[in-house]
Amino acid sequence: MEFTELIKIKQIKNVRCLLDVFSEVPEGPGVVIVSAHVLCYESGSLKFQVLHKMIQSVIQEKSASTQECTQCTVYCKDFRCITLYIEQKLDCDLLVETLNLLSNLDNIELTLPFYCKPKSKEEVYESYDEHLELEWLEFPPSGWTISRANSNFQITEWYSEILVIPAGWEDVMLKLAECRVEERVPRPTYMYTHSTRGKCMVITVGDLQVANSLQYKITDKDYRDIDCMYMKSVLDCSGVATIVTESHFKDKLKKRDYDGWDQLKLNVPTEDLKSCIGEMNRRDSWTHGNKKWLDMVWFMLCTTNTLLSRIVEDGSSILLEVYPRILSSLLQICLESRYRTSYGFITCVLRKEWLHAGYKFHTNSLENSCAEFLLFLHCVRQLTLWFPALFQFSEDLLITLHAAVNASRYGDFLCDSPRERDTLRIPQRTECFWEEVFARIPPPPSYINPAYKPLSGVIKPRVGAPESVLGWGRVFLKHAALDREVEEVVRRRGELYLQWKSVVVE
């Protein structure tokens, strides 16, 4: 399908715009322009652009303030709320239809990154070697091996080709994949070597909350035996092991007890991340949605704190079945100072735990604005507030990442799985976010924390009451007038710090 068939109207004049969700005075009049990938608005006092892929929903209603105008509200995945006041109802109808079509394209190859690719891109920017990274983490433990058992995605399409598995288990992993939803076999991603008992692993597996809704497959006795053999191999490695699960799953999953394993059953908050996102997109429900969201951030940080004690003090390996990507990423950031650098955070943690582990960026962007990934970023942002000198990257990088996973000119976060990215040749055909950050010398200054001082060792979240977790105004109050003033204060403080640093003799 050509874009000419999707664009029902290209330009609308005399449009007034309300960009601040807490304001009641619209700007304008101005002009709305619709292109293949971008919605533009321009008046004498206001100018902005929104990628169509950034649009979450479009709602049309009669304007309460001006009877002859029709009101069209565009809710964005980055929490912008844009209200357009359009004189002609037919123009508004066509605009709403156009935006709904362009913001929900099924064909990934029609998205912006494929139109921003260099004219001739032969070399792929490679700054991360997963095999070397695992060796740096002192994988594999005794009795295990770093294997390319998933080459050509023969075990699962959701993981990269490299897996840490028990030695000689290449064929067994194929059988184990059959009893896991989406073939998401257990995947060791981190080795901690400084615990009181020696080495212990952090292992992720398919999220049990998703698996439970899809009917988990471990029912056949043969599958059950293989599953138990794998768990025994983990226990033999560290001597102590903990499975992190949820306390309210159905009967079908309650028989999953493993000899020698401790179970940490979490009372996971019942808040739906999608509903929190929806509430924070609206003025009348923003406060309620934000409170539920902050409760989730607090829960993740508290759980991370508990698991850190099990790893560092008890020497326990951890298998994560609840929010595995978030908790594994937070654990590694707290345990490993290298992952608190810009390179370690973006190139290692995000690739290893999100891209190579099959987080469905495309599907989740359409359904819930990648809410799980945003929850992780908010947890990291809270850690940077508690430990402001221990992170090399700035808040600006986190905000850029949140925007990039939903809509940008980069191809890194397109598709749902490594196999799909490989099929579409994403690295060869699109620009790379990692290259933008690290190939430039010096890197963008706004992404660097000027107060950073490298310090090795474990950091533990300073969680107390839920009120100890702060909101994130620069994301959830985007374009609110008050937040713009706060942002200016933060920017000026950074400038003053750099000036002070340049004259101080250390």
Side-chain angles (χ1 to χ4, degrees):
M1 180 179 290
E2 299 292 336
F3 284 111
T4 54
E5 301 177 35
L6 301 176
I7 301 177
K8 308 300 181 181
I9 189 168
K10 295 182 178 180
Q11 183 176 357
I12 308 175
K13 297 181 179 180
N14 297 321
V15 179
R16 293 158 60 224
C17 176
L18 187 64
L19 191 59
D20 185 347
V21 69
F22 292 106
S23 175
E24 297 179 356
V25 181
E27 304 280 352
V31 180
V32 169
I33 301 174
V34 182
S35 69
H37 297 104
V38 183
L39 170 68
C40 305
Y41 178 84
E42 184 172 359
S43 68
S45 57
L46 181 64
K47 181 178 180 180
F48 65 84
Q49 298 180 347
V50 179
L51 294 176
H52 297 318
K53 198 169 181 290
M54 186 63 77
I55 296 174
Q56 183 66 46
S57 62
V58 185
I59 297 178
Q60 180 181 354
E61 56 186 335
K62 187 74 174 179
S63 173
S65 58
T66 309
Q67 292 299 319
E68 62 271 16
C69 287
T70 301
Q71 178 178 322
C72 166
T73 303
V74 180
Y75 294 100
C76 300
K77 299 170 185 176
D78 63 353
F79 296 94
R80 280 181 287 182
C81 180
I82 303 166
T83 303
L84 302 173
Y85 298 93
I86 302 172
E87 291 182 343
Q88 301 296 323
K89 184 179 184 301
L90 177 60
D91 289 347
C92 190
D93 292 341
L94 293 175
L95 179 64
V96 171
E97 182 182 359
T98 298
L99 294 181
N100 281 326
L101 289 171
L102 293 174
S103 61
N104 292 282
L105 293 173
D106 292 328
N107 188 349
I108 292 177
E109 293 179 275
L110 292 178
T111 57
L112 180 62
F114 286 94
Y115 291 81
C116 293
K117 62 182 181 295
K119 293 182 179 179
S120 60
K121 183 178 181 181
E122 298 178 358
E123 295 185 3
V124 178
Y125 179 74
E126 290 291 349
S127 62
Y128 176 69
D129 186 315
E130 189 168 9
H131 194 283
L132 290 178
E133 180 67 19
L134 292 172
E135 289 182 342
W136 183 83
L137 292 170
E138 299 189 27
F139 274 110
S142 177
W144 292 64
T145 185
I146 301 175
S147 170
R148 297 187 182 272
N150 197 38
S151 60
N152 299 319
F153 308 101
Q154 59 183 353
I155 294 178
T156 175
E157 67 174 296
W158 302 103
Y159 295 164
S160 60
E161 67 174 8
I162 295 178
L163 294 173
V164 178
I165 62 175
W169 268 53
E170 282 78 3
D171 294 333
V172 180
M173 294 302 291
L174 290 169
K175 189 73 173 177
L176 182 61
E178 294 177 7
C179 65
R180 297 274 176 171
V181 171
E182 295 182 338
E183 296 79 41
R184 291 181 183 262
V185 296
R187 180 173 177 265
T189 60
Y190 180 74
M191 173 79 76
Y192 185 67
T193 59
H194 305 294
S195 71
T196 55
R197 292 176 178 266
K199 296 182 178 182
C200 53
M201 294 189 289
V202 175
I203 305 170
T204 61
V205 72
D207 194 331
L208 202 56
Q209 293 176 303
V210 177
N212 191 57
S213 65
L214 296 175
Q215 295 301 310
Y216 213 54
K217 299 180 181 179
I218 299 181
T219 53
D220 186 274
K221 183 179 182 301
D222 291 339
Y223 292 158
R224 170 72 179 174
D225 290 343
I226 295 173
D227 197 49
C228 290
M229 288 169 57
Y230 183 92
M231 303 300 273
K232 183 178 183 301
S233 298
V234 176
L235 191 63
D236 291 342
C237 170
S238 59
V240 182
T242 302
I243 183 169
V244 181
T245 186
E246 210 270 348
S247 58
H248 301 296
F249 284 116
K250 298 176 183 178
D251 291 340
K252 189 171 183 179
L253 298 176
K254 288 183 178 178
K255 299 177 181 179
R256 299 176 56 257
D257 296 325
Y258 300 104
D259 291 340
W261 280 72
D262 292 333
Q263 286 206 18
L264 180 60
K265 295 186 177 182
L266 303 176
N267 292 316
V268 179
T270 57
E271 285 82 359
D272 176 49
L273 296 181
K274 182 178 180 179
S275 68
C276 292
I277 295 290
E279 290 180 3
M280 286 189 289
N281 254 324
R282 290 164 173 77
R283 180 176 181 175
D284 57 349
S285 59
W286 187 90
T287 302
H288 183 253
N290 190 59
K291 181 184 182 303
K292 293 195 298 183
W293 181 267
L294 292 178
D295 287 344
M296 286 296 297
V297 176
W298 179 78
F299 167 79
M300 292 297 171
L301 293 170
C302 284
T303 304
T304 300
N305 214 16
T306 300
L307 296 178
L308 284 171
S309 296
R310 295 224 174 191
I311 293 172
V312 177
E313 299 171 12
D314 301 337
S316 175
S317 289
I318 302 291
L319 188 142
L320 299 165
E321 291 191 326
V322 179
Y323 289 107
R325 283 172 290 269
I326 295 180
L327 292 175
S328 178
S329 300
L330 292 176
L331 284 171
Q332 294 178 51
I333 289 170
C334 290
L335 290 167
E336 198 66 56
S337 61
R338 181 170 176 261
Y339 292 156
R340 299 193 285 270
T341 66
S342 299
Y343 175 86
F345 176 69
I346 292 185
T347 308
C348 300
V349 174
L350 295 192
R351 284 196 176 186
K352 183 172 59 173
E353 298 300 327
W354 297 85
L355 288 168
H356 290 187
Y359 178 67
K360 300 177 182 179
F361 280 103
H362 177 68
T363 298
N364 284 296
S365 178
L366 293 174
E367 294 181 353
N368 57 37
S369 306
C370 291
E372 183 181 344
F373 185 74
L374 177 57
L375 181 61
F376 162 64
L377 292 180
H378 196 160
C379 291
V380 175
R381 189 257 181 177
Q382 184 63 49
L383 290 173
T384 65
L385 294 178
W386 284 330
F387 305 97
L390 299 186
F391 289 82
Q392 187 183 29
F393 51 87
S394 69
E395 181 187 15
D396 283 357
L397 181 59
L398 300 178
I399 294 173
T400 301
L401 276 170
H402 171 236
V405 299
N406 286 299
S408 72
R409 62 189 179 89
Y410 305 109
D412 306 82
F413 302 104
L414 294 177
C415 309
D416 283 342
S417 69
R419 180 175 186 172
E420 192 175 355
R421 293 186 194 96
D422 183 71
T423 301
L424 292 176
R425 299 177 64 249
I426 295 295
Q428 292 81 13
R429 300 175 62 192
T430 66
E431 292 188 350
C432 175
F433 179 80
W434 328 108
E435 185 173 2
E436 178 72 15
V437 175
F438 297 112
R440 290 170 55 184
I441 299 175
S446 61
Y447 293 164
I448 302 300
N449 173 18
Y452 174 63
K453 292 184 178 180
L455 181 66
S456 61
V458 178
I459 61 174
K460 299 193 72 173
R462 298 170 179 173
V463 286
E467 291 76 16
S468 62
V469 174
L470 301 181
W472 198 357
R474 291 185 63 193
V475 170
F476 300 113
L477 288 173
K478 189 175 287 293
H479 293 288
L482 175 62
D483 195 61
R484 285 201 296 271
E485 295 175 7
V486 174
E487 185 175 341
E488 175 62 23
V489 171
V490 173
R491 184 191 66 79
R492 180 57 182 156
R493 185 176 61 185
E495 289 180 353
L496 292 173
Y497 180 85
L498 289 174
Q499 293 173 13
W500 169 81
K501 191 174 181 180
S502 66
V503 298
V504 171
V505 179
E506 298 183 356

